[in-house]
């Protein structure tokens, strides 16, 4: 079996110091090749059947990473569209509990309904704030702005106690943090960050009985027999979560299939150990420089308050990080090295 280092070296060749996976990941070489093959297939007029097979391979790979049966996984395009599906399932006046300043795609569809009671509390108080009458708790497993990790076991227990459903966005977690999607009613993730895929794919995990979801966006791909469902109302919806699919961006899934194969080949545990070692190295270096990051123990995302203004200057120096909510956000993934961390620290010291 190839070593971690050899696999990464064969797949990635960044031209800068790229510490911005929390925005979007670098594409592995195998995904680039798969994208090129997909484009060529279409340009030459060949059958698109292999691209539809890629969608199903990606669905199965995500199910393995999320720890759920593949029948519970729906394939779509964005977190916001999946959140809208969950929001549409709630009765008027239902209370949705959220974390303050969570990512907009997790929150906005509940607000735009206009007839839901959306309540926001600090992330640290989320589990304690579930109460009788709370219909749904929606939260990101890891916060986009600063990497803080939600106490999901406590949230799950509080929701169970009060009869609330749970909706967890794993977009900033799956790929480096072990995921137990089956522990929640609904969960979602895009795939262009820690799963190394192109933009345009997202997965929704639903309960075995589909919960309260209605496939309000169902198209022909949501049919039990999609190619027999192209005209007129869909006579028979898929018996699995595929009934919640939206028509797939085929090129995206062609590249994503290769990316997910790499993630599974290396393994989430190995990726996590690598990512967290680099994040901790950065935290230690910040302390030596007199900077205090937002507390986010056990996270691959590190944000430093007040330093977001340095992002353009760092970009000029060939170091890619983000300015999020005034924080300088650095995120560490499998293609990063200790030298990358030290280069950023050296730039901050100057």
């Amino acid at each position: 079996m190839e070593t971690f280092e050899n696999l990464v070296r064969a797949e990635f060749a960044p031209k800068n110091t790229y510490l911005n996976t929390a925005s979007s990941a670098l594409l592995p070489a195998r995904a680039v090749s798969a994208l090129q093959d997909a484009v060529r297939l279409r340009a030459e007029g060949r059958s698109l059947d292999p691209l539809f097979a890629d969608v199903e391979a990606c669905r199965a790979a995500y199910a393995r990473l999320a720890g759920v049966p593949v029948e519970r996984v729906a394939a779509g395009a964005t977190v916001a569209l999946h959140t809208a599906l969950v929001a549409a399932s709630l009765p008027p006046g239902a209370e949705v509990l959220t974390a303050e300043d969570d990512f907009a795609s997790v929150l906005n569809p509940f607000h735009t309904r206009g007839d839901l009671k959306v309540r926001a509390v600090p992330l640290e108080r989320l589990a304690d704030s579930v109460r009788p009458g709370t219909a749904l708790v929606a939260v990101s497993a890891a916060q986009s702005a600063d990497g803080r990790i939600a106490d999901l076991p406590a949230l799950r227990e509080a929701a169970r106690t009060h009869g609330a459903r749970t909706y967890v966005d794993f977009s900033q977690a799956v790929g480096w943090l072990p995921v137990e999607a089956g522990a929640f009613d609904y969960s979602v993730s895009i795939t262009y960050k820690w799963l190394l895929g192109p933009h345009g794919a997202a997965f929704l995990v639903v309960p075995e009985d589909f919960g309260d979801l209605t496939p309000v966006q169902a198209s022909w791909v949501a049919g039990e027999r999609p190619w027999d469902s192209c005209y007129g109302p869909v006579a028979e919806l898929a018996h699995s979560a595929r009934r919640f699919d939206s028509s797939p961006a085929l090129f995206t899934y062609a590249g994503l299939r290769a990316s997910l194969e790499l993630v599974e080949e290396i393994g989430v545990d190995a990726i996590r150990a690598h990512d967290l070692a680099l994040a901790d190295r950065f935290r230690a270096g910040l302390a030596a420089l007199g900077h205090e990051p937002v507390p986010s123990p056990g996270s691959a995302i590190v944000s430093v308050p007040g330093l977001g203004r340095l992002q353009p200057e760092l970009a000029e120096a060939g170091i890619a990080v983000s300015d999020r909510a005034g924080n300088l956000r650095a995120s560490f993934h499998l293609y990063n090295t200790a030298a990358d961390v030290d280069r950023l620290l050296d730039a901050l010291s100057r």
Side-chain angles (χ1 to χ4, degrees):
M1 182 176 177
E2 289 189 84
T3 66
F4 185 110
E5 293 78 10
N6 288 341
L7 274 171
V8 170
R9 193 178 304 115
E11 295 288 347
F12 300 99
K15 303 300 183 184
N16 61 353
T17 300
Y18 192 83
L19 302 170
N20 206 18
T21 299
S23 290
S24 59
L26 299 179
L27 289 174
R30 65 179 71 182
V32 175
S33 294
L35 286 165
Q36 292 169 336
D37 291 344
V39 171
R40 191 175 300 111
L41 180 150
R42 179 155 172 205
E44 295 173 355
R46 290 182 281 145
S47 169
L48 299 184
D49 287 352
L51 303 188
F52 284 99
D54 288 336
V55 178
E56 297 313 311
C58 290
R59 190 195 313 271
Y62 185 80
R64 290 190 294 272
L65 289 167
V68 294
V70 68
E71 292 79 12
R72 290 184 58 183
V73 179
T78 70
V79 165
L81 288 176
H82 288 315
T83 304
L85 185 64
V86 175
S89 74
L90 297 171
E95 178 182 278
V96 181
L97 179 64
T98 66
E100 289 179 351
D101 299 320
D102 208 334
F103 197 74
S105 296
V106 186
L107 306 177
N108 214 43
F110 300 113
H111 287 272
T112 56
R113 264 275 308 252
D115 60 354
L116 300 175
K117 299 174 183 176
V118 185
R119 184 163 57 101
V121 299
L123 179 67
E124 293 76 13
R125 287 173 37 203
L126 192 66
D128 293 338
S129 298
V130 184
R131 62 192 182 187
T134 300
L136 180 78
V137 187
V139 68
S140 295
Q143 291 292 298
S144 172
D146 52 34
R148 287 176 300 150
I149 299 175
D151 187 346
L152 294 180
L155 173 60
R156 183 175 63 243
E157 185 59 33
R160 183 184 296 116
T161 298
H162 294 289
R165 289 194 181 274
T166 48
Y167 176 57
V168 179
D169 179 8
F170 286 109
S171 294
Q172 294 288 12
V174 64
W176 68 267
L177 188 68
V179 167
E180 295 181 15
F184 307 96
D185 294 288
Y186 313 110
S187 67
V188 69
S189 180
I190 47 78
T191 60
Y192 61 84
K193 299 180 188 290
W194 306 92
L195 293 178
L196 311 173
H199 284 69
F203 293 106
L204 175 71
V205 176
V206 304
E208 289 183 9
D209 63 359
F210 308 140
D212 297 320
L213 297 185
T214 299
V216 293
Q217 87 296 5
S219 68
W220 68 280
V221 298
E224 177 64 15
R225 292 175 295 278
W227 293 109
D228 294 333
S229 303
C230 293
Y231 307 106
V234 176
E236 183 182 10
L237 288 169
H239 302 162
S240 67
R242 195 167 51 73
R243 63 173 52 198
F244 303 110
D245 276 17
S246 53
S247 191
L250 294 177
F251 291 167
T252 291
Y253 282 91
L256 178 60
R257 180 177 187 170
S259 295
L260 293 177
E261 286 172 354
L262 176 62
V263 171
E264 290 196 282
E265 191 173 344
I266 295 176
V268 171
D269 289 344
I271 294 173
R272 182 181 186 222
H274 176 84
D275 292 4
L276 295 190
L278 296 179
D280 287 344
R281 184 184 185 94
F282 184 51
R283 291 185 180 96
L286 286 170
L289 294 176
H291 298 299
E292 185 174 349
V294 175
S296 57
S299 179
I301 303 170
V302 184
S303 290
V304 193
L307 296 187
R309 57 186 169 76
L310 298 178
Q311 184 271 332
E313 181 181 334
L314 291 166
E316 285 290 324
I319 302 174
V321 292
S322 288
D323 176 6
R324 291 292 184 270
N327 301 333
L328 180 73
R329 187 188 69 185
S331 41
F332 305 92
H333 206 19
L334 74 169
Y335 36 67
N336 295 128
T337 66
D340 292 336
V341 178
D342 295 344
R343 195 169 296 120
L344 175 56
L345 289 169
D346 182 62
L348 292 177
S349 72
R350 297 198 301 267

